[in-house]
Amino acid sequence: PAHFRFLERPSAAATRGTGRIFIQAGAFAEPENAQRVRARIAALGSVEIVRTAGRGAPLYRVRLGPLRDAVAAALLLGKVIERGYPGARVVEE
């Protein structure tokens, strides 16, 4: 079985932006769905699943990174979209 990790993310009020750039491929209510997406994009780079608080239930965000700059983020975003995730986006924390 694939090895992955879930990261707990503190609330937005408790964090300060670090300027780190990621590509978020998607956010899912079911961890199994996040794991499937992670497996499909793992060849593109370092992928993590971050568990965050959603409305009444946790969300599992699948993201690649951190990336060194906006140019690298734009290039990787194109690759993630080509893999079948048109809703992917650049996020910064």
Side-chain angles (χ1 to χ4, degrees), residues 12-84:
T15 61
R16 285 195 189 115
T18 61
R20 297 189 320 157
I21 302 169
F22 297 87
I23 301 300
Q24 182 170 305
F28 305 90
E30 297 296 325
E32 295 80 13
N33 293 335
Q35 292 166 21
R36 276 193 284 280
V37 172
R38 181 188 182 278
R40 288 192 62 196
I41 63 173
L44 297 176
S46 176
V47 183
E48 62 186 15
I49 298 173
V50 181
R51 184 177 185 259
T52 61
R55 292 184 179 169
L59 282 177
Y60 299 90
R61 296 179 185 198
V62 181
R63 62 187 200 173
L64 292 126
L67 303 163
R68 69 182 175 274
D69 57 34
V71 173
L75 291 171
L76 186 55
L77 178 61
K79 291 178 183 179
V80 173
I81 291 170
E82 287 173 3
R83 289 273 170 125

